[in-house]
Amino acid sequence: MTAQTIGTAVARQDDKPTPSKLIGNNRAELAQVMPSHMRADTWVRIAQGTVRRDPKLLEAANASPASLMVALMESARLGLEPGTEQFYLTPRRVKGRPEVLGIVGYQGLIELMYRSGAVASVVVEVVRDKDAFRWAPGRMTKPEHDADWFGGVETRGALKGVYAYAEMTNGSTSKVVVLGRDHVAKAKESAQGADSAYSPWKTNEEAMWLKTAARRLSKWVPTSTEDRRIVQGTAERADRPSLTAADVEPDPLDITGAVEVDDDAIDGEVVEDGGQQ
């Protein structure tokens, strides 16, 4: 959605439509940028249901419909389902005013890898203190990981590390990404607003560990030209503290010009700029 299109879409709120109605009113614009395999009607219903179910998100969408539409357009152009671990819709406050921020989740990054056609499977797992984990770079093609998969934190212990790799359709194994607590802690420190109550680092820490590894893996997995643009661009854009109308390019695939960021700056999910929780 271009800045002009977003302006037109939000201008339709003159009659104070609900966020759900606003999404429905802009179905055509959202469908225009979706990948061809997506069903627009289903996607729109998912988006509407997500906003209706979360009071904080609904408040932010009512207060800032423009930020809602920017987040949804990003989700639509990537072909990811909003309000899921593919693409989070999160409330935040900027100068005390609620807004909506869209964040690509680890499952979204994995989905984009699969679309290349070069990936047969993707493995992304956390390692906990009581798990048995073995990895010898140069002597093993992939890690060995045994755990009580049905056990909780008390059984498996605290988060210790995370790893990711892909099995390619030609039978080979991609580079294996293995990160410890210090690597993830450094990524979290680089994330603006990570200590906010709204941040996924607070609400779903394990998912953010998984995303940290998935993002690193996305730089090593072979993809088609089209999907390389999406995967690399998404990994970078997800680190930015916010998206505005000016950030959304007319071409839904041409996001290779995204600003480069430090490899450890994983997520700028939530920005509290002088506002109150």
Side-chain angles (χ1 to χ4, degrees), residues 20-149:
S20 180
K21 185 176 180 181
L22 182 65
I23 296 169
N25 288 347
N26 290 282
R27 177 197 174 283
E29 287 88 345
L30 291 163
Q32 187 175 10
V33 300
M34 288 181 190
S36 59
H37 71 276
M38 298 291 293
R39 296 184 61 182
D41 289 339
T42 300
W43 189 97
V44 165
R45 285 195 293 271
I46 291 172
Q48 291 172 325
T50 296
V51 175
R52 282 196 298 260
R53 286 192 301 270
D54 187 332
K56 290 287 188 181
L57 181 59
L58 183 60
E59 177 190 7
N62 273 311
S64 179
S67 68
L68 171 66
M69 293 309 301
V70 168
L72 290 178
M73 182 56 63
E74 187 76 351
S75 179
R77 71 187 299 191
L78 294 174
L80 302 177
E81 292 187 358
T84 69
E85 288 189 338
Q86 287 191 357
F87 193 94
Y88 297 105
L89 293 176
T90 61
R92 63 171 182 164
R93 288 182 180 274
V94 176
K95 297 182 179 179
R97 184 169 181 258
E99 291 187 0
V100 178
L101 177 66
I103 304 168
V104 179
Y106 81 96
Q107 288 186 359
L109 290 173
I110 292 172
E111 169 65 18
L112 295 175
M113 293 180 208
Y114 276 125
R115 289 186 197 164
S116 69
V119 176
S121 67
V122 178
V123 176
V124 186
E125 294 288 351
V126 294
V127 180
R128 293 184 174 271
D129 281 334
K130 298 179 183 179
D131 294 353
F133 182 79
R134 182 170 178 267
W135 167 237
R139 290 184 286 134
M140 299 172 64
T141 58
K142 50 193 172 184
E144 295 177 356
H145 183 197
D146 292 320
D148 181 354
W149 299 107

Side-chain angles (χ1 to χ4, degrees), residues 172-247:
S172 64
T173 301
S174 73
K175 176 182 174 64
V176 178
V177 173
V178 179
L179 306 174
R181 284 196 186 102
D182 289 346
H183 296 98
V184 179
K186 186 177 179 182
K188 183 179 178 180
E189 288 173 3
S190 301
Q192 290 181 290
D195 292 330
S196 166
Y198 296 135
S199 172
W201 282 104
K202 288 287 189 181
T203 61
N204 198 345
E205 184 182 20
E206 181 173 318
M208 297 312 297
W209 282 55
L210 293 168
K211 180 180 176 180
T212 302
R215 178 185 180 271
R216 296 285 184 89
L217 177 63
S218 71
K219 296 186 175 183
W220 296 96
V221 174
T223 62
S224 67
T225 301
E226 176 178 288
D227 284 333
R228 185 181 303 113
R229 289 174 169 181
I230 296 176
V231 172
Q232 293 179 347
T234 298
E236 291 163 359
R237 295 179 74 147
D239 299 330
R240 298 164 67 178
S242 65
L243 287 176
T244 65
D247 292 317

